[in-house]
Amino acid sequence: MTPGRRTMNRFSSASLRFFAGIDLADSQCGFRVYDSGFLAQHRLRGRRYEAEMEILMQAAGAGRRVVSEPIQAPVADGRATSHYRNWRDTWRIIGVVLGHRARHSIL
């Protein structure tokens, strides 16, 4: 990972831990397995990297178990295949976290 992306990923993971109680080393890894029934019940507002944070927040709010399993990736992150925009995507992720927190604090 590039240093900027690594910093934003750590910030994203720390936000997930603080606001949702989910401790994942990499909240934006992109490799996830979801229960299809759970996905059918939850509508995502986000479309990019914030969608991943959104579904994790929804899983935490629903009391679902979220675990991390290490995998071996043949290609290093931070190359041309990554389209993460450090500031723009980070602000979108922050919006998802704060919006989810606000909606569930009011209810």
Side-chain angles (χ1 to χ4, degrees):
M1 267 189 220
T2 62
R5 183 150 185 228
R6 185 181 322 275
T7 299
M8 296 307 168
N9 190 299
R10 287 180 181 160
F11 177 79
S12 174
S13 295
S15 297
L16 185 63
R17 188 172 32 259
F18 181 79
F19 288 106
I22 298 175
D23 191 14
L24 297 177
D26 185 353
S27 65
Q28 297 296 310
C29 75
F31 297 105
R32 303 263 186 244
V33 176
Y34 297 105
D35 177 272
S36 61
F38 176 76
L39 289 177
Q41 296 171 357
H42 293 83
R43 182 171 174 241
L44 296 177
R45 298 172 189 202
R47 294 177 295 144
R48 292 182 49 89
Y49 294 92
E50 71 272 16
E52 190 162 8
M53 181 65 82
E54 185 178 359
I55 196 67
L56 290 169
M57 297 287 292
Q58 289 180 10
R64 295 307 271 271
R65 184 174 68 113
V66 177
V67 297
S68 179
E69 292 290 333
I71 63 165
Q72 294 294 321
V75 178
D77 193 13
R79 297 197 180 156
T81 58
S82 177
H83 301 288
Y84 189 84
R85 299 166 299 185
N86 287 346
W87 293 107
R88 182 180 293 175
D89 289 329
T90 298
W91 281 113
R92 287 179 172 184
I93 290 168
I94 290 170
V96 165
V97 171
L98 295 178
H100 187 271
R101 182 69 177 175
R103 283 189 302 280
H104 291 277
S105 294
I106 294 171
L107 298 177

